[in-house]
Amino acid sequence: MIRIAQLSDVHFGDENLPAVEAATSLLQADPPDLILITGDITRFAEVAELEAARDWLERLPRPWLVTPGNHDAPYLAWYERIFTPFARYERIIGPAWSQSHLDDQIAVAGVNTARGAQWRLNWSKGQISRDQVRTAVNFLDAAPADRVRLVALHHPLTEMIAGPMTAKVWGGVDAARAFSEARVDLVLSGHVHAPFALPYPFADERTYAVGCGTLSVRERGVPASFNMIEVDPDAIRVKALTWSGGQFEAYRTWSLDRRA
């Protein structure tokens, strides 16, 4: 069995410190095969927030992969946000535009769906380009066929019905279709601060969108949470663990059929 932890939207500067510490202790005590952090590790991408996020990442058991979110481009330094949106992130955390992980069980393509500025008023929404999709698919296609194939990004590519907020990803539906046709197993995201798991309605419908909650105080109807994912040959189980104030407890579990 393969075990993957997914954490998202920690928002250092607005982090839920007891929940972050408890999640960190759980992962240190029983390390999974991989930890994925799907964006918004800071509140405003201030240097102190990025440094706090870096210090936290260094405490997590490896391997881990982190991809940025819209909050990881400076909110207050407008010149940087428009012209060099992820320079601070790359200096303190690591690569912003493309990340990847490959081992003897798992292949992950990290994709940055956040933008510093866009040709629309709400810059917090997502974008994914054809080149980004092509790069991710090419990486996963080059991996051995028996690897679990994952895409990690911040914004959900398609909208969650009755979700607490929208992502409105430009190019999102086309990307979801392309990842489905490429036989990706999971597309993992954050942003909406609520966990979910649902199939994309494309190809064989065995590519699933999995959303993660937040470990910040910026809750949207769901307590602070993170996901534990277990992969067996026949099924993928996603368990959302929510913070009760004293411990993490099972909130919801999804069992997802794997393709043959």
Side-chain angles (χ1 to χ4, degrees):
M1 180 178 67
I2 301 168
R3 298 172 61 246
I4 301 164
Q6 182 194 6
L7 299 88
S8 197
D9 296 78
V10 184
H11 288 292
F12 276 96
D14 271 338
E15 74 273 22
N16 184 326
L17 185 57
V20 171
E21 288 300 312
T24 304
S25 295
L26 284 175
L27 296 172
Q28 290 171 336
D30 187 15
D33 296 293
L34 177 66
I35 299 174
L36 295 175
I37 299 100
T38 48
D40 277 5
I41 57 174
T42 68
R43 175 182 54 180
F44 295 136
E46 294 294 311
V47 170
E49 295 168 3
L50 287 161
E51 290 175 342
R54 178 199 59 202
D55 293 345
W56 171 68
L57 289 169
E58 291 176 351
R59 295 170 58 203
L60 295 177
R62 291 182 181 267
W64 47 257
L65 180 148
V66 56
T67 190
N70 51 284
H71 277 267
D72 300 321
Y75 262 47
L76 304 177
W78 289 102
Y79 184 89
E80 287 184 59
R81 181 175 180 83
I82 293 171
F83 295 103
T84 57
F86 296 103
R88 293 183 185 181
Y89 179 98
E90 291 188 318
R91 185 175 73 250
I92 298 170
I93 303 297
W97 289 104
S98 180
Q99 312 84 32
S100 62
H101 170 82
L102 178 64
D103 60 31
D104 59 358
Q105 300 183 101
I106 308 166
V108 186
V111 180
N112 186 357
T113 55
R115 302 292 187 269
Q118 303 179 51
W119 292 109
R120 54 177 164 177
L121 291 177
N122 192 337
W123 293 352
S124 73
K125 303 305 181 184
Q127 288 191 40
I128 186 168
S129 71
R130 292 179 181 176
D131 284 344
Q132 287 180 296
V133 173
R134 187 179 305 112
T135 298
V137 168
N138 287 345
F139 170 78
L140 295 173
D141 280 347
D146 62 347
R147 302 307 191 260
V148 179
R149 296 155 64 90
L150 310 177
V151 172
L153 38 72
H154 180 61
H155 296 83
L157 297 177
T158 59
E159 297 303 330
M160 173 187 173
I161 296 173
M165 65 180 297
T166 63
K168 294 185 177 178
V169 178
W170 283 349
V173 173
D174 288 342
R177 181 182 293 107
F179 291 144
S180 299
E181 293 171 350
R183 299 172 68 84
V184 172
D185 293 298
L186 301 178
V187 178
L188 301 114
S189 63
H191 188 63
V192 299
H193 294 199
F196 65 86
L198 52 89
Y200 287 136
F202 308 115
D204 62 2
E205 299 188 13
R206 290 294 184 271
T207 295
Y208 299 95
V210 172
C212 187
T214 180
L215 282 177
S216 76
V217 298
R218 302 163 65 94
E219 297 172 7
R220 296 192 178 99
V222 179
S225 68
F226 71 99
N227 292 339
M228 287 300 302
I229 301 167
E230 298 176 348
V231 183
D232 283 333
D234 298 325
I236 300 172
R237 287 174 293 279
V238 180
K239 180 184 291 185
L241 301 172
T242 55
W243 178 243
S244 67
Q247 62 183 356
F248 279 97
E249 300 175 348
Y251 171 69
R252 284 200 64 183
T253 301
W254 296 264
S255 183
L256 313 172
D257 293 334
R258 294 192 68 184
R259 60 175 53 87

